Amino acid sequence: MGQKKGGKRLSKRQVSDAIQGLFQAHPGEALNFKQIFKTLRLDTHPAKMLAVDVMEEMAWDDYLSKVDNSTYRLNLKTQVQEGTFIRKANGKNSFMPDDGGKPIFVSERNSMSAMGGDRVRVAMMARRQNHIKEAIVTEILERKHNQAVGILQVEKDFAFLVTEGNIFVHDILIPKKKLKGGKTGEKAVVKITQWPSAESKNLIGEVIDVLGQQGNNDVEMHAILAQYDLPYKYPQRVEEAANKINAEITKEEIARREDFRQVLTFTIDPADAKDFDDALSIRSIDTKQDRPLWEVGVHIADVSHYVTEGSVIDKEAQQRATSVYLVDRTIPMLPERLCNFICSLRPNEEKLCYSVIFEMDGEANIRKWHLAHTIIKSNRRYAYEEVQEMLTGKDGDYAAELRILDKMAKKLRERRFMNGAVKFDREELHFDVDEQGKPTRCYFKKSTDATQLIEEFMLLANRTVAEMIGRVPKGTKAKTLPYRVHDQPDPQKLETLRSALSPFGYKVKTSGSKGAISKGLNKLLADVEGKREQKLVETLTLRAMMKAKYSTHNIGHYGLAFDYYTHFTSPIRRYPDTMVHRLLTRYQEGGRSANQDHYEELCEHSSQMEQTAQFAERDSIKYKMVEFMADKIGMEFDAHISGVQSYGIYCEIDENHCEGLVGMHDLSGDYYEFDERNYQLVGRRHHQKYQLGDAVRIKVARANVERRQLDFVLADE
């Protein structure tokens, strides 16, 4: 480290880096000049003097604290915390404490070699009053990612992977013999075999899969999945196990079940759906009275009949926890033979179900209900669009029955909102894609009476079975069940929402009873409909809400205003529903309560996987959006401002809802300042304003598929 006379002088930067590294390797120790010079091999007078100067500066900066004239230690508070490390591309990393406190800044030099998502232990730096609160990573407890996706770069003597996003500080070195045939420019999945350490800053890995040429649709979709550690292939042994399942329904099995094969039954799903989880049946059971009674059956595919606990298929499904829906494909939780054939409630085929059977009047009041294993035979498979046409007057098969169910669904929905459910009608962005996966059309899907009909009966079934287990007499312990829970909004977030909305003249209640807050939120959402700030208000309101998750500890579902709620209706695509089916069957047969800790662990895993799947889905939408716009460079569109940031304005094209950024550097003619409180940029000289919701005319400037980024410029600039 040091230098001989006449050798190359060490720079201040080199000395500074070496000193930092040394103190970080010994976070709790006081080190004197002698130890420091010896360890860093600083053996010339100028090098020693430089080191003393650097340490003096570091003490001024609150990075080191002076123990005596020749001894320093890392300036840390005794407070140590554990949590998650969040890496940012600009080096402004942060640490998110486990206790849910505010994120704390971690500079690059204090990050050890932590990657985004790693669990770390940090110490707080003892900063003076006017210094920003800062943490230093002292230990990496658990690595979040052990694989990465990127583009291979193969040189003469070595190869490396250039990663997307900003998970890693450095590129990953790959020994030539660990390339698995990968070539420069190809996308690959790499497993990390060596992490940076005190001895070596290098990240070393080996290729586990070459995905293929970047830009190819399949390659890009697989890359999105691999980036989130989601599987993109189905294991051979699991497929084989599924092929061995006997799909025949025996006489004995039919005798054990309630028979609904003669009752009018149908499925209603998106037009392109392949797996049908749920069916509805309806028949009149008492026409003598003035108020006719109906038997409505909610029939759910009996997955747990075919997938036994602990089997190869079950373990794979448990690991996946959910099907993943990317724009142009479904990555199913179960092997195709199960999800699209054996379990799927296809028309004119006899199928095994687990069903909630209601006796209801025309006002959707429940007289009685029961839970039963059944056999059904669906008469008809509907797409939502067909049902919607019948609900709005067109004639068709079983139109009368569909209208009766629609009337009941509307009653159930009305009651739900009267009880304090929050009315979020978020539009979803959808793409039509051709055979090659290329997007041909981009549009919003709104919820309709047909989708709400299905939704209300599914909510009813989920709520009813959750109540059956959870609602027990005082002093009795309820049996273990995975619930779908949703906490009340965080008061602090509601306060943020309130102050963000005041410039627009909206008021929102931040305290009071559950019902009062949700009524206030509903009024707010109704008031902004059709206004220019609608999207912003909806986004901010959504942010104030907590995330729904799975848990065996029931706290109710705030958004739906149910005291008990679970997921029972989609076992083909969600593992928690399969768990619920198994436990309900066990309890119906008089079984003891299941181990709560075991099920709580499975709930946590399922919640995590659900979130990961949503991230992947969002990335696939961003990718398709950029791909859709890639051949429209230079074209102009009407748009409106959908977001305002310190670095520019986001604009959403009116006709296809694709969103792009007009960067600050593309707003010429003035210097713009970001007015965060009023969601606008204001020109310093000419006072030109760009405010959220403003109509603008944009021109498509760049479409970077690789980074899933769209850039616009204003057409009149």
Side-chain angles (χ1 to χ4, degrees):
M1 180 83 206
Q3 69 255 358
K4 296 286 161 261
K5 289 181 176 49
K8 211 160 120 266
R9 277 248 164 130
L10 284 175
S11 72
K12 186 172 179 181
R13 174 72 194 271
Q14 287 170 308
V15 171
S16 172
D17 285 353
I19 289 171
Q20 256 173 39
L22 179 61
F23 278 101
Q24 282 183 14
H26 305 87
E29 294 174 40
L31 304 173
N32 62 31
F33 286 168
K34 200 171 169 187
Q35 290 168 297
I36 293 164
F37 298 156
K38 190 177 173 198
T39 314
L40 299 181
R41 299 213 296 276
L42 301 173
D43 41 23
T44 66
H45 186 65
K48 289 176 181 175
M49 290 331 305
L50 184 56
V52 170
D53 285 350
V54 166
M55 285 185 277
E56 188 65 30
E57 273 179 32
M58 285 178 169
W60 264 104
D61 193 28
D62 278 347
Y63 184 72
L64 297 178
S65 65
K66 209 167 184 169
V67 180
D68 60 39
N69 273 342
S70 63
T71 313
Y72 288 92
R73 68 147 47 92
L74 210 48
N75 187 22
L76 302 176
K77 285 184 183 163
T78 46
Q79 188 195 1
V80 167
Q81 280 186 302
E82 290 181 5
T84 307
F85 183 80
I86 299 157
R87 176 165 287 291
K88 299 269 174 60
N90 58 9
K92 290 189 161 71
N93 308 319
S94 60
F95 162 78
M96 186 57 93
D98 280 345
D99 63 11
K102 283 201 169 84
I104 297 153
F105 173 70
V106 184
S107 69
E108 193 53 67
R109 69 177 183 192
N110 293 336
S111 296
M112 237 169 168
S113 63
M115 312 295 174
D118 288 353
R119 275 193 51 69
V120 294
R121 184 173 288 136
V122 301
M124 295 305 134
M125 302 200 68
R127 312 296 267 172
R128 283 194 301 273
Q129 227 25 96
N130 55 351
H131 276 188
I132 172 175
K133 189 175 182 187
E134 209 176 312
I136 174 170
V137 176
T138 55
E139 194 183 337
I140 291 163
L141 303 170
E142 190 189 325
R143 292 283 184 187
K144 164 83 170 158
H145 299 274
N146 67 348
Q147 63 173 45
V149 180
I151 308 285
L152 288 172
Q153 202 71 41
V154 184
E155 305 291 341
K156 192 160 159 279
D157 303 319
F158 60 90
F160 55 92
L161 185 84
V162 183
T163 54
E164 302 162 28
N166 45 29
I167 311 174
F168 300 103
V169 205
H170 306 291
D171 295 331
I172 300 164
L173 288 174
I174 301 163
K176 287 291 267 276
K177 56 180 181 295
K178 300 280 189 187
L179 266 173
K180 227 181 170 184
K183 301 177 186 58
T184 293
E186 287 187 315
K187 278 214 156 148
V189 185
V190 165
K191 182 177 176 211
I192 291 155
T193 52
Q194 184 189 309
W195 295 96
S197 62
E199 291 74 54
S200 155
K201 285 262 193 290
N202 288 339
L203 261 172
I204 297 174
E206 58 184 60
V207 173
I208 48 177
D209 203 355
V210 178
L211 297 174
Q213 277 304 321
Q214 83 182 82
N216 168 300
N217 184 58
D218 280 350
V219 171
E220 295 299 340
M221 291 297 130
H222 286 169
I224 287 171
L225 292 164
Q227 212 172 322
Y228 290 105
D229 284 351
L230 290 168
Y232 44 91
K233 294 192 221 144
Y234 223 94
Q236 193 64 41
R237 57 194 172 75
V238 186
E239 291 281 11
E240 281 163 10
N243 291 336
K244 286 187 188 130
I245 288 176
N246 182 2
E248 188 201 344
I249 301 172
T250 62
K251 282 197 178 74
E252 293 76 31
E253 190 54 51
I254 293 172
R256 274 198 288 269
R257 293 176 176 257
E258 281 187 35
D259 194 341
F260 277 79
R261 288 174 296 182
Q262 302 308 314
V263 185
L264 169 61
T265 305
F266 42 77
T267 57
I268 311 177
D269 291 277
D272 55 0
K274 290 189 181 67
D275 54 354
F276 313 128
D277 272 297
D278 50 79
L280 284 179
S281 70
I282 180 169
R283 65 176 156 187
S284 158
I285 47 175
D286 188 351
T287 47
K288 290 193 275 297
Q289 300 181 356
D290 304 337
R291 300 176 69 183
L293 280 183
W294 301 94
E295 178 198 77
V296 178
V298 179
H299 305 283
I300 308 302
D302 193 355
V303 171
S304 60
H305 174 82
Y306 295 102
V307 180
T308 50
E309 203 164 347
S311 64
V312 169
I313 298 173
D314 183 52
K315 282 182 180 149
E316 182 70 22
Q318 189 178 309
Q319 196 47 46
R320 293 178 177 230
T322 179
S323 291
V324 183
Y325 294 90
L326 301 187
V327 168
D328 65 341
R329 68 195 62 206
T330 298
I331 292 77
M333 178 179 87
L334 296 170
E336 193 177 1
R337 182 160 180 257
L338 277 172
C339 64
N340 291 356
F341 298 98
I342 298 179
C343 295
S344 184
L345 309 182
R346 297 164 15 137
N348 306 313
E349 293 179 17
E350 295 189 350
K351 295 289 174 183
L352 301 183
C353 286
Y354 204 3
S355 309
V356 189
I357 317 295
F358 297 100
E359 267 188 32
M360 305 170 89
D361 62 22
E363 298 293 297
N365 297 308
I366 298 164
R367 297 301 178 87
K368 55 183 190 195
W369 73 274
H370 69 281
L371 181 65
H373 288 92
T374 58
I375 179 165
I376 69 159
K377 189 174 180 182
S378 167
N379 300 70
R380 182 84 155 71
R381 184 245 147 151
Y382 289 110
Y384 284 127
E385 293 74 12
E386 297 174 81
V387 173
Q388 188 57 27
E389 285 180 348
M390 281 190 258
L391 296 182
T392 47
K394 192 177 171 186
D395 261 349
D397 299 344
Y398 316 121
E401 286 85 352
L402 286 166
R403 286 173 197 147
I404 291 163
L405 287 168
D406 179 49
K407 188 182 163 200
M408 289 182 184
K410 287 192 166 77
K411 290 282 178 206
L412 290 168
R413 194 172 167 80
E414 193 184 311
R415 260 174 247 157
R416 209 155 50 78
F417 291 125
M418 272 168 60
N419 288 338
V422 182
K423 200 169 191 169
F424 264 111
D425 245 351
R426 298 286 285 179
E427 299 170 312
E428 285 179 25
L429 194 59
H430 277 260
F431 292 89
D432 290 344
V433 291
D434 64 17
E435 310 288 87
Q436 280 75 48
K438 259 204 143 5
T440 53
R441 177 172 163 242
C442 175
Y443 57 97
F444 268 141
K445 249 190 184 167
K446 271 193 157 86
S447 76
T448 61
D449 287 350
T451 56
Q452 286 168 11
L453 184 160
I454 286 296
E455 185 187 9
E456 287 307 325
F457 281 103
M458 297 309 126
L459 292 177
L460 183 64
N462 286 335
R463 187 188 95 193
T464 306
V465 298
E467 278 180 3
M468 168 179 127
I469 302 299
R471 202 188 282 286
V472 292
K474 243 192 167 46
T476 318
K477 192 173 179 342
K479 288 179 172 166
T480 299
L481 190 77
Y483 295 93
R484 178 73 169 170
V485 299
H486 184 220
D487 208 349
Q488 296 188 48
D490 176 349
Q492 216 174 348
K493 285 182 175 174
L494 280 177
E495 197 44 57
T496 309
L497 175 67
R498 195 190 61 75
S499 58
L501 295 181
S502 63
F504 297 105
Y506 296 109
K507 287 188 170 58
V508 68
K509 260 184 105 66
T510 55
S511 59
S513 69
K514 268 193 205 179
I517 292 173
S518 56
K519 275 200 178 73
L521 292 175
N522 283 341
K523 184 181 180 322
L524 170 70
L525 293 168
D527 289 348
V528 298
E529 206 167 326
K531 304 259 177 38
R532 64 192 223 168
E533 61 271 11
Q534 178 176 352
K535 198 174 173 191
L536 168 87
V537 174
E538 285 179 347
T539 308
L540 290 175
T541 309
L542 206 54
R543 266 189 215 147
M545 302 288 259
M546 300 304 248
K547 276 194 177 69
K549 59 179 186 181
Y550 298 106
S551 174
T552 56
H553 306 285
N554 181 45
I555 54 165
H557 196 295
Y558 175 80
L560 295 171
F562 291 155
D563 292 334
Y564 301 90
Y565 187 64
T566 188
H567 272 171
F568 167 81
T569 52
S570 291
I572 290 178
R573 60 188 181 88
R574 296 186 300 224
Y575 194 73
D577 303 54
T578 305
M579 297 196 267
V580 168
H581 280 216
R582 283 186 186 142
L583 291 177
L584 289 172
T585 305
R586 169 182 177 150
Y587 300 154
Q588 269 193 308
E589 290 165 357
R592 293 202 347 253
S593 181
N595 179 319
Q596 184 165 7
D597 293 343
H598 170 64
Y599 275 94
E600 186 58 28
E601 250 175 62
L602 289 175
C603 282
E604 277 178 26
H605 172 69
S606 299
S607 301
Q608 220 173 349
M609 293 306 286
E610 175 188 39
Q611 214 178 344
T612 305
Q614 282 170 353
F615 289 146
E617 201 176 320
R618 215 169 294 161
D619 275 1
S620 83
I621 288 174
K622 276 191 204 154
Y623 180 82
K624 289 291 167 208
M625 202 187 270
V626 180
E627 194 185 7
F628 181 66
M629 296 304 293
D631 59 359
K632 298 173 182 59
I633 305 290
M635 286 170 72
E636 292 188 7
F637 295 92
D638 285 327
H640 65 276
I641 297 176
S642 52
V644 182
Q645 292 291 346
S646 56
Y647 48 82
I649 53 177
Y650 284 98
C651 301
E652 186 184 290
I653 295 175
D654 295 340
E655 69 179 64
N656 60 29
H657 306 287
C658 289
E659 189 178 57
L661 176 71
V662 179
M664 197 65 107
H665 48 83
D666 285 322
L667 292 171
S668 53
D670 208 338
Y671 178 82
Y672 286 91
E673 283 173 338
F674 177 39
D675 174 359
E676 198 171 353
R677 189 173 153 72
N678 296 306
Y679 298 95
Q680 60 184 11
L681 294 181
V682 184
R684 205 182 264 179
R685 275 213 315 274
H686 307 302
H687 308 296
Q688 160 83 6
K689 281 183 190 165
Y690 291 110
Q691 190 172 16
L692 198 94
D694 284 353
V696 285
R697 181 106 178 134
I698 63 96
K699 186 195 271 181
V700 183
R702 285 171 296 278
N704 184 335
V705 179
E706 195 49 42
R707 296 176 66 173
R708 306 182 197 119
Q709 215 170 321
L710 265 181
D711 288 331
F712 297 159
V713 291
L714 295 177
D716 51 2
E717 283 282 305

